[in-house]
Amino acid sequence: GVGYPVTCRGTLASSLVTFLCGISEVNPLPAHYYCPNCHHFELAKPVDSNDRLCGYELMAKKCPECSYIMQSDGADIMQEINMGIHMDKEPSVFLNFAPEIRGDVAKHIAMNYSNSQVFRGGTKIEKEDGTIKRGVHPGAVYIVPGGVDISLYTTIRESKMDNDDLGLPVSEENYLKLDEHFKSYSILTQPELAMLHDLENDTGFKYSDIPLNDNDVIRAFRDMPNLFMEKFSELYRNAVSILEPKCFSDIVKIEGLVHCSGNWKANICEVIRGYSIDDIIASRDDILQYLLSKDISKSEAYFIMSYISKGKGLTDDSINIMKKAGVTRVYIKRCKQIQYLYPLSQLVDYTLVNWRLAYYFLNY
């Protein structure tokens, strides 16, 4: 799998360690400049203390130490989303690979453990007539600690799926019950990652060298119809048409608006009424940041954000806290309509892929 990009689902992309290890390309630090020549580092200062800057959009700037043109980075990810309010949450491991190498990844894992330690998560659904329908989770892989008898938790069967590229045995027990006992690692696929790999090979231009503050790239999203936008859903194209994105952050907002369950309905009426694209609730981070800006305590804000992002709505206590803090009825109504929200880190990771594909589309 050398040379193939990887993207992270869930909160894994918000980890600085994940970024430094090269697992994720999302730098979660606040927006900043750094000099590749003398290694000078400086944070970018927002105009307003409540604003969150995206380092991908910063203008070019000379290094004050050596006059070299500095690079900019930093998606400004809230660490609490990944690690919990007390920094004690175990992050989930969900990775997207190019379809061509997913089998190689499974083989790599299996080579490092015995055959009795690695298996896929099965699905188990009881129908109304009492019969059991069994299947396989698309990506969940479990690694059983050495010395643990897996038969105490589930029996294992061979996979009978057509075109099974993982070649691992499958649990008879439902994967959700196994999550109570074992750590799962989701090995999923994203075809666009293979596209980036092939485009880099065909053009000789590295996808990692594509500038993220190139305003021309926005043309691929805005100048419709075009071949690039045909790969997106009609809903995505509608969102682009209505919101007219102008920068990387705007594309991130559209990703969250379209792909997070219930989010289009929760936001679109306000967008049509003239609200700014900045006012869109696109991610878990947007809610937590907004509640904190209203001087709601971090623990209360985190609790409210967690409920909303998982589609649980709002408790009466949460509504009272928000009203006392001056949160509008319209905002509260929007929160109630949301069924699921992605973390900002995942939206940024997906936007990086689409941004780079747009660059290739325009230039090659």
Side-chain angles (χ1 to χ4, degrees):
V2 175
Y4 283 87
V6 177
T7 56
C8 302
R9 296 172 65 90
T11 60
L12 191 64
S14 65
S15 165
L16 180 61
V17 174
T18 306
F19 170 73
L20 295 176
C21 290
I23 298 169
S24 166
E25 295 192 68
V26 178
N27 183 332
L29 293 177
H32 60 271
Y33 290 100
Y34 66 94
C35 178
N37 184 48
C38 72
H39 308 297
H40 171 78
F41 177 94
E42 64 179 68
L43 293 173
K45 297 180 181 179
V47 176
D48 187 285
S49 59
N50 288 326
D51 287 344
R52 300 182 73 81
L53 293 177
C54 177
Y56 307 143
E57 298 160 7
L58 298 176
M59 300 296 291
K61 183 178 179 180
K62 285 187 177 181
C63 175
E65 303 289 339
C66 68
S67 297
Y68 204 86
I69 298 297
M70 293 192 291
Q71 297 178 5
S72 60
D73 207 341
D76 199 11
I77 305 294
M78 301 190 73
Q79 188 62 20
E80 290 84 355
I81 303 293
N82 179 47
M83 294 302 299
I85 198 70
H86 301 296
M87 299 295 154
D88 57 356
K89 177 184 172 186
E90 185 177 355
S92 301
V93 180
F94 296 91
L95 293 173
N96 288 325
F97 296 92
E100 290 84 343
I101 66 167
R102 191 171 81 138
D104 294 335
V105 173
K107 290 176 183 176
H108 174 75
I109 294 173
M111 283 175 58
N112 288 277
Y113 301 91
S114 70
N115 293 335
S116 61
Q117 285 183 272
V118 183
F119 63 94
R120 296 184 69 176
T123 59
K124 180 181 177 183
I125 302 173
E126 186 172 348
K127 295 183 175 182
E128 293 182 0
D129 60 4
T131 59
I132 301 294
K133 180 181 178 181
R134 299 187 185 278
V136 183
H137 186 277
V141 172
Y142 295 88
I143 302 174
V144 181
V148 174
D149 184 359
I150 186 61
S151 66
L152 297 175
Y153 303 93
T154 181
T155 53
I156 301 294
R157 58 187 167 88
E158 292 301 316
S159 173
K160 295 182 180 179
M161 292 177 60
D162 293 334
N163 302 317
D164 183 7
D165 59 340
L166 294 185
L168 298 174
V170 182
S171 70
E172 291 280 9
E173 190 54 81
N174 192 290
Y175 74 97
L176 290 174
K177 287 195 174 181
L178 294 174
D179 282 344
E180 300 173 5
H181 307 287
F182 303 109
K183 182 70 180 174
S184 68
Y185 302 84
S186 280
I187 303 173
L188 300 159
T189 58
Q190 188 177 357
E192 290 85 353
L193 301 177
M195 293 170 65
L196 279 180
H197 172 266
D198 293 345
L199 284 165
E200 179 176 284
N201 285 344
D202 292 344
T203 64
F205 190 87
K206 291 184 177 180
Y207 58 80
S208 57
D209 289 339
I210 291 174
L212 301 174
N213 58 355
D214 184 346
N215 290 329
D216 287 341
V217 173
I218 290 294
R219 285 193 293 112
F221 291 91
R222 293 186 55 158
D223 294 350
M224 295 189 293
N226 62 50
L227 289 172
F228 172 71
M229 288 304 296
E230 283 184 7
K231 90 179 190 72
F232 295 97
S233 67
E234 182 179 356
L235 182 60
Y236 192 104
R237 295 195 296 271
N238 286 341
V240 170
S241 178
I242 293 170
L243 295 171
E244 299 181 338
K246 299 178 179 64
C247 58
F248 187 94
S249 293
D250 289 352
I251 304 299
V252 173
K253 287 280 188 179
I254 289 172
E255 285 282 339
L257 181 63
V258 171
H259 294 300
C260 297
S261 301
N263 216 18
W264 176 264
K265 182 180 179 181
N267 283 279
I268 198 60
C269 288
E270 310 311 319
V271 171
I272 292 173
R273 285 170 51 191
Y275 278 60
S276 165
I277 191 171
D278 294 330
D279 296 323
I280 290 174
I281 301 172
S283 66
R284 301 173 195 179
D285 305 54
D286 286 342
I287 291 181
L288 185 57
Q289 176 208 349
Y290 176 76
L291 296 179
L292 292 175
S293 74
K294 290 293 186 180
D295 294 324
I296 294 175
S297 72
K298 187 175 283 190
S299 59
E300 289 173 335
Y302 186 85
F303 174 83
I304 294 171
M305 178 276 297
S306 297
Y307 254 58
I308 295 170
S309 65
K310 295 175 183 177
K312 296 181 179 179
L314 292 166
T315 65
D316 291 339
D317 287 343
S318 296
I319 293 173
N320 290 332
I321 290 170
M322 294 169 76
K323 286 181 177 178
K324 287 180 181 179
V327 177
T328 65
R329 289 186 177 182
V330 172
Y331 192 91
I332 291 173
K333 178 184 177 182
R334 291 159 68 193
C335 290
K336 288 180 178 179
Q337 291 177 304
I338 292 170
Q339 298 167 22
Y340 187 80
L341 282 179
Y342 288 155
L344 177 61
S345 56
Q346 181 174 340
L347 300 178
V348 171
D349 213 347
Y350 283 9
T351 302
L352 283 172
V353 172
N354 288 327
W355 184 275
R356 287 163 171 164
L357 290 175
Y359 182 90
Y360 281 119
F361 170 77
L362 288 176
N363 293 280
Y364 297 95

